[in-house]
Each structure stands twice: as C-alpha cells, then as structure tokens.
Amino acid sequence: DAKTTQPPSMDCAEGRAANLPCNHSTISGNEYVYWYRQIHSQGPQYIIHGLKNNETNEMASLIITEDRKSSTLILPHATLRDTAVYYCIVRVSNNQGGKLIFGQGTELSVKP
Amino acid sequence: NAGVMQNPRHLVRRRGQEARLRCSPMKGHSHVYWYRQLPEEGLKFMVYLQKENIIDESGMPKERFSAEFPKEGPSILRIQQVVRGDSAAYFCASSPPGGGRRSTEAFFGQGTRLTVV
C-alpha cells in the first residue's frame, strides 16, 4: 500500500471550514483514498473514501486532484467536537476486504 | 443495528496472567481486524480474520499472541503470560463480506484498555 504524508497538526476556528491535506504521490491506479478520525481514546471513525471523483457525505467532502497524488478532506463547518486525529490512508479496495495501515495523522484542534 | 462490540472495556491483569479480549462484529460482517495502540502512539495492525480463517497476521507478535474468529461467537484476541509492555488499547474493526463499495468500510469498536500490573 502507498504511503501518505500529512501535517502533524492544524488549528481551525469553530464554524469555519477545516481543510486537511494529504499527499499520496505513489498511489496506484487501483488504490482508494480513505479518511478516518480518532477522537481522544475512542475507536477510529470512518469518514469518507474515494477513488478519483470528489465525494461528499453528511460528515465531509473529499477532493482528489486529477493526478490523484493528493487529496483534501473538508469539514465545512467545524465544531469543537471535530477535534481529533485525522488519518488519510490509501489502499487497494477489493472484494476481499483488507487491512488499513494508519500513519501518524493530523491532529486537528478546533478552537472557539 | 448495533455497532462493533468489544468487551471488556477495561481489563487489568497481573504479569504472567492471560488476557482474553472479545469482539462481536456488526451484524452481517464476516471480516474482523485487530489493532493495538500503545500509549501516545498510533494504531498498529495486528491481524485480519474471516470466519474460521486467519487471512493476514503480519502484525502479530510471534509469541504469546493468538487470535481466532470461530464460526459461531465473537472473535477472541488472546495474550498469554502478559507483560507490562502489553498495556495498550486494543481495537477491533469489522467490515462486510466482499462486493460493492461499502464492503471496504471498516467500523471500529470502542476498544479494550488492557493494563498489566
């Protein structure tokens, strides 16, 4: 699986959009981009994933560049409860499941 | 539909005892993954199981650790002769069987905090 690079930490003002970048320059054509987050001491929570098209759900939007070498997770209106470590993971998506390899992630602090 | 259930949430063991951690996947999920998170560190993959089969155990320590996912009942992560370095949070995740976009989403439990004294 390809490796990802994320900034170790970011701050965001409450109510503003949080834009979390991720570089995955060695991503393969059949690898998806996944985002999870871990709020202090809890189990990781799935946020969103995509292959090459932009994706949106009730939690966030995922913007993937045309060359797929980087992506951005957007939390449109960050709240204090969005303070967490956010993990960007790339892996092959196949019908047999497969493990997720977590890096160090980005520690997002949402401030009032 | 209940989420991934792990128990116990907290477990205290003395050095040399055995620890058994249980994970009940979400209904309809046949893939289970175990992860370990040492204090102040990231999540490390340990093992990936499907019903009655170990698919990938590349992250499991070679000794004292074992995992199973029987045909009936929860998945069990077993640690024999625990040492202080085993103190960590152990998370279980599950995902649906193969096929379709959602088959690759993994849902995590709240973890078991193991403390070895």
Side-chain angles (χ1 to χ4, degrees):
Chain A
D1 293 340
K3 292 183 179 179
T4 63
T5 304
Q6 298 178 253
S9 63
M10 289 182 63
D11 290 341
C12 178
E14 187 179 18
R16 304 295 295 269
N19 298 284
L20 291 92
C22 179
N23 288 320
H24 31 79
S25 58
T26 60
I27 192 170
S28 301
N30 62 347
E31 287 182 315
Y32 284 63
V33 180
Y34 287 78
W35 283 85
Y36 280 77
R37 73 180 182 183
Q38 186 176 26
I39 297 171
H40 179 65
S41 296
Q42 297 182 22
Q45 177 187 22
Y46 167 83
I47 302 173
I48 199 166
H49 77 282
L51 182 63
K52 53 185 176 182
N53 297 322
N54 298 337
E55 301 286 345
T56 295
N57 62 21
E58 64 278 3
M59 288 183 68
S61 295
L62 174 60
I63 308 299
I64 302 174
T65 57
E66 193 169 341
D67 64 5
R68 302 208 327 119
K69 293 182 184 300
S70 65
S71 60
T72 301
L73 178 75
I74 301 172
L75 307 179
H77 305 288
T79 71
L80 299 179
R81 288 179 292 182
D82 292 321
T83 293
V85 179
Y86 287 77
Y87 297 97
C88 170
I89 302 165
V90 295
R91 73 169 176 91
V92 173
S93 172
N94 55 53
N95 290 340
Q96 300 304 314
K99 63 192 179 191
L100 297 163
I101 303 298
F102 289 82
Q104 295 305 306
T106 295
E107 187 168 3
L108 175 69
S109 297
V110 180
K111 299 182 183 301
Chain B
N1 186 12
V4 177
M5 303 300 292
Q6 291 188 247
N7 65 82
R9 292 292 305 276
H10 300 275
L11 181 62
V12 179
R13 284 287 178 267
R14 295 185 185 279
R15 282 178 294 171
Q17 290 185 319
E18 178 180 285
R20 292 172 68 87
L21 288 63
R22 288 178 291 277
C23 170
S24 296
M26 289 179 68
K27 185 178 181 180
H29 286 195
S30 57
H31 301 210
V32 165
Y33 313 81
W34 285 93
Y35 291 79
R36 178 167 66 175
Q37 188 168 34
L38 295 169
E40 306 303 322
E41 294 191 14
L43 289 143
K44 302 296 183 187
F45 167 78
M46 299 181 75
V47 62
Y48 163 35
L49 310 101
Q50 293 181 22
K51 282 288 187 181
E52 300 184 279
N53 291 306
I54 295 175
I55 305 303
D56 182 345
E57 56 181 347
S58 58
M60 285 281 271
K62 298 293 184 227
E63 298 178 347
R64 302 187 298 108
F65 285 72
S66 63
E68 62 177 8
F69 187 18
K71 187 176 180 181
E72 300 292 336
S75 176
I76 304 289
L77 179 68
R78 182 182 177 204
I79 311 172
Q80 295 178 289
Q81 299 176 319
V82 296
V83 301
R84 287 210 171 122
D86 297 331
S87 295
Y90 292 82
F91 292 98
C92 167
S94 72
S95 64
R101 177 180 169 81
R102 295 192 67 86
S103 69
T104 56
E105 296 172 22
F107 296 88
F108 284 78
Q110 290 306 302
T112 293
R113 271 83 183 161
L114 173 65
T115 302
V116 180
V117 298

